[in-house]
């Protein structure tokens, strides 16, 4: 097999590969010898079919397999000998299109090689970790928010009119064409106005009602309503208003704690403190990660494969275009051309991505099966009732698995660098941390 270099410019590589006809013929014969003991053919005992007959019967079919294996083997040996790692799938094509059996096979292979990644002194990197403790005021604020979500209702002053957000207690009877229908009646029903619990138009007609009022509510069932006998029909509900109640935050006590799964208020405060500090820690990690990436970006500089840079710039431009045009959900729109700013950002992302991949490979960092399974489970929760289908989709889709695995790998590499870098802690307020996070979003 002959391999001749035809291009070597920057990271671009080109080679001409010639697979001799004799090598192909030898591979075909090897496959026939391997298969001969199991071949059955009319007029011959199993395993006794002459080689010449086997070659006539199956040789042409096996020649295609032999050619593919020969080319794949040549490529593998080339990358093993050269040490090159292609940035993307190599472009391989057969150049002697008039090939016939007995001819050599001529192949052209071109690709962009991944660059040599320079060594980085990770121990020389200095980082600052922002530390925020959950104070009493933070815990009380969180408790207040919980109390609002667990709101109660108390009677308004006698004669008060119902407002949006109030709870009214009603008896109602619904009729279509003057006839009552199943499910259209209830007594002492607590309805929060503005909650959207009832069909459109119902709750709005009860705003302004007082206890003791009789209100005739006229509505139309939606055309797509679940009950076919009611879909699209006009209805009248006779409503008796029995009470009007205003929302009030639940009292902050042991009863509130039990509503949220804690034994008492002190235990709930402890849980809130842990949750807040976990949130603060996550935000601080995001800030420190950005600072680390900024530091790494300043430390390294190397040539980037044009194909990777172009693909990343187009992806960035496309994503930002959709953020600016949220009404366009599909991809039926004019081609989005990357700007200089997109290309600059793409260069940073590709450079840091290659660097982190190199650091992870040298440190033998891997994403375990358990970590991968947990990540898939977390994403599957976004599709209630379709978790099994999501799992199957991920299993059958290598690209999807890569999308899930990539951020896991990156985070493990980042944590690895954190351990080697010089990290000092700095106590800051929650507001200072929030400003640092907002600064990330503004960049």
């Amino acid at each position: 097999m002959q391999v001749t270099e035809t291009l070597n410019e920057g990271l671009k590589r080109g080679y001409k590969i010639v697979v001799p006809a004799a090598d192909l013929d030898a591979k075909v014969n090897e496959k026939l010898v391997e298969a001969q003991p199991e071949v059955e053919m009319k007029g011959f005992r199993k395993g006794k079919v002459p080689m010449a007959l086997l070659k006539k019967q199956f040789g042409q079919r096996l020649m295609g397999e032999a050619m593919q294996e020969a080319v794949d083997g040549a490529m593998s040996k080339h990358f093993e000998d050269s040490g090159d790692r292609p940035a993307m799938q190599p472009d391989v094509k057969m150049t002697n299109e008039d090939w016939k059996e007995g001819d050599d096979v001529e192949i052209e292979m071109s690709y962009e090689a991944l660059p040599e990644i320079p060594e980085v002194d990770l121990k020389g990197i200095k980082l600052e970790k922002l530390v925020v403790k959950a104070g009493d005021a933070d815990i009380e604020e969180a408790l207040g928010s919980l109390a609002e979500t667990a709101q109660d209702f108390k009677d308004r002053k006698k004669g008060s009119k119902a407002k949006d957000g109030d709870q009214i207690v009603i008896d109602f009877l619904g009729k279509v064409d003057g006839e009552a229908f199943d499910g259209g009646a209830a007594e002492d029903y607590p309805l929060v106005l503005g909650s959207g619990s009832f069909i459109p138009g119902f709750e709005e007609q009860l705003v302004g009602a007082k206890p003791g009022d009789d209100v005739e509510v006229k509505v139309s069932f939606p055309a797509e309503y679940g009950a076919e006998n009611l879909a699209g029909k006009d209805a009248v509900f006779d409503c008796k208003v029995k009470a009007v109640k205003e929302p009030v935050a639940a009292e902050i006590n042991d009863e509130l704690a039990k509503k949220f799964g804690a034994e008492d208020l002190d235990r709930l405060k402890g849980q809130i403190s842990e949750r807040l500090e976990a949130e603060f820690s996550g935000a601080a990690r995001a800030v420190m990660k950005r600072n680390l990436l900024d530091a790494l970006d300043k430390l390294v500089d190397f040539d980037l494969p044009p194909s990777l840079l172009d693909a990343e710039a187009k992806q960035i431009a496309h994503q930002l275009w959709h953020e600016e045009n949220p009404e366009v959900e599909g991809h039926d729109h004019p081609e989005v051309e990357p700007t200089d700013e997109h290309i600059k950002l793409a260069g940073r992302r590709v450079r840091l991505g290659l660097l982190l991949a190199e650091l992870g490979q040298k440190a033998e960092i891997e994403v375990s099966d358990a970590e991968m399974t947990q990540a898939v489970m977390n994403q599957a929760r976004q599709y209630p009732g379709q978790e099994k289908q999501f799992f199957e989709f991920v299993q059958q889709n290598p690209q999807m698995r890569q999308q899930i695995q990539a951020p896991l790998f990156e985070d493990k590499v980042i944590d690895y660098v954190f351990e080697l870098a010089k990290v000092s802690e700095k106590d800051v307020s929650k507001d200072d941390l929030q400003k640092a996070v907002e600064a990330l979003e503004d960049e």
Side-chain angles (χ1 to χ4, degrees):
M1 189 175 301
Q2 302 171 357
V3 180
T4 306
E5 186 176 75
T6 59
L7 176 66
N8 191 332
E9 296 178 1
L11 297 174
K12 294 182 178 180
R13 304 284 185 271
Y15 296 89
K16 178 181 179 181
I17 301 173
V18 178
V19 182
D23 289 1
L24 290 174
D25 193 56
K27 270 190 172 294
V28 171
N29 289 334
E30 182 182 320
K31 287 178 175 293
L32 290 172
V33 169
E34 184 180 340
Q36 188 180 34
E38 301 299 323
V39 175
E40 297 184 51
M41 191 177 293
K42 190 174 182 180
F44 299 94
R45 286 182 295 156
K46 181 180 179 180
K48 298 300 182 180
V49 181
M51 188 61 65
L53 189 56
L54 284 177
K55 192 165 189 178
K56 182 178 180 180
Q57 183 80 9
F58 304 108
Q60 194 169 13
R61 186 193 312 169
L62 292 174
M63 180 61 74
E65 295 181 15
M67 290 171 65
Q68 187 63 54
E69 289 179 8
V71 173
D72 290 346
M75 290 171 57
S76 297
K77 188 173 189 310
H78 164 72
F79 290 126
E80 183 180 339
D81 292 344
S82 67
D84 278 354
R85 292 177 296 165
M88 300 182 78
Q89 186 68 24
D91 181 27
V92 180
K93 60 182 179 182
M94 187 172 173
T95 55
N96 53 336
E97 297 178 359
D98 57 349
W99 178 90
K100 60 184 181 298
E101 192 169 347
D103 290 349
D104 295 343
V105 174
E106 298 177 3
I107 301 292
E108 280 187 357
M109 176 176 69
S110 59
Y111 60 90
E112 292 173 3
L114 288 176
E116 288 291 328
I117 310 297
E119 293 285 339
V120 179
D121 179 17
L122 300 178
K123 294 182 179 180
I125 296 176
K126 296 181 180 180
L127 298 170
E128 190 173 70
K129 180 180 180 181
L130 305 181
V131 179
V132 179
K133 297 294 183 183
D136 291 341
D138 299 322
I139 295 173
E140 291 301 323
E141 181 182 346
L143 274 174
S145 297
L146 286 179
E148 288 182 9
T149 63
Q151 66 180 4
D152 292 324
F153 293 90
K154 70 174 184 179
D155 287 326
R156 284 193 176 275
K157 292 180 180 179
K158 189 175 181 179
S160 295
K161 295 180 179 180
K163 300 177 181 179
D164 200 40
D166 282 354
Q167 181 192 77
I168 63 171
V169 180
I170 58 174
D171 295 342
F172 63 84
L173 174 64
K175 297 178 182 180
V176 171
D177 296 330
E179 297 291 332
F181 56 88
D182 290 341
E187 293 182 355
D188 296 326
Y189 189 93
L191 174 63
V192 178
L193 301 182
S195 65
S197 303
F198 280 19
I199 58 178
F202 190 103
E203 295 166 24
E204 292 87 338
Q205 296 179 53
L206 290 167
V207 172
K210 306 186 301 295
D213 284 355
D214 292 309
V215 182
E216 186 179 72
V217 174
K218 297 180 180 180
V219 291
S220 296
F221 283 96
E224 66 278 7
Y225 194 68
E228 292 184 10
N229 62 313
L230 299 176
K233 296 287 185 65
D234 293 332
V236 177
F237 286 83
D238 295 323
C239 302
K240 179 72 172 181
V241 181
K242 304 175 80 172
V244 174
K245 301 183 178 185
E246 64 180 329
V248 293
E251 289 188 33
I252 299 176
N253 52 27
D254 290 343
E255 288 303 313
L256 175 68
K258 291 174 182 177
K259 287 183 180 180
F260 289 95
E263 293 181 11
D264 53 37
L265 187 57
D266 286 340
R267 297 288 179 90
L268 180 59
K269 288 181 177 180
Q271 293 175 8
I272 291 174
S273 177
E274 291 177 5
R275 176 175 59 79
L276 287 175
E277 294 200 355
E279 291 177 0
F280 296 153
S281 178
R285 184 186 186 283
V287 173
M288 190 163 74
K289 177 180 176 179
R290 172 61 68 82
N291 292 336
L292 170 62
L293 294 177
D294 289 344
L296 291 174
D297 192 38
K298 294 175 182 177
L299 286 174
V300 295
D301 188 26
F302 48 83
D303 290 337
L304 302 177
S307 58
L308 288 184
L309 184 61
D310 181 60
E312 184 66 24
K314 287 181 177 178
Q315 192 274 333
I316 291 171
H318 191 263
Q319 179 182 343
L320 293 178
W321 187 90
H322 273 284
E323 289 179 5
E324 294 169 1
N325 300 272
E327 71 281 1
V328 181
E329 296 182 0
H331 302 290
D332 184 19
H333 55 74
E335 185 174 351
V336 184
E337 289 296 328
T339 65
D340 290 343
E341 191 65 27
H342 297 149
I343 295 171
K344 181 180 178 182
L345 179 56
R348 171 187 164 98
R349 287 188 182 179
V350 172
R351 185 180 302 106
L352 290 173
L354 292 174
L355 174 60
L356 293 176
E358 181 77 2
L359 293 175
Q361 184 179 20
K362 288 184 176 180
E364 298 182 349
I365 293 172
E366 295 181 350
V367 176
S368 69
D369 290 342
E371 291 168 333
M372 188 67 181
T373 299
Q374 185 61 51
V376 175
M377 289 175 62
N378 291 341
Q379 291 204 20
R381 292 193 185 99
Q382 300 175 24
Y383 308 94
Q386 297 181 305
E387 291 86 352
K388 182 179 179 182
Q389 292 91 322
F390 182 79
F391 266 99
E392 292 174 351
F393 173 72
V394 172
Q395 288 176 339
Q396 298 167 8
N397 192 317
Q399 186 176 1
M400 185 65 180
R401 289 201 301 274
Q402 176 60 25
Q403 288 179 5
I404 295 174
Q405 186 184 57
L408 299 177
F409 176 79
E410 179 179 295
D411 279 344
K412 295 188 76 167
V413 176
I414 292 294
D415 288 336
Y416 162 74
V417 178
F418 282 164
E419 292 176 4
L420 295 176
K422 297 176 181 177
V423 179
S424 59
E425 294 189 350
K426 179 182 179 180
D427 291 329
V428 298
S429 68
K430 182 178 68 172
D431 290 341
D432 288 337
L433 177 60
Q434 182 62 33
K435 289 177 183 177
V437 171
E438 290 173 355
L440 300 184
E441 297 172 352
D442 291 338
E443 291 181 8

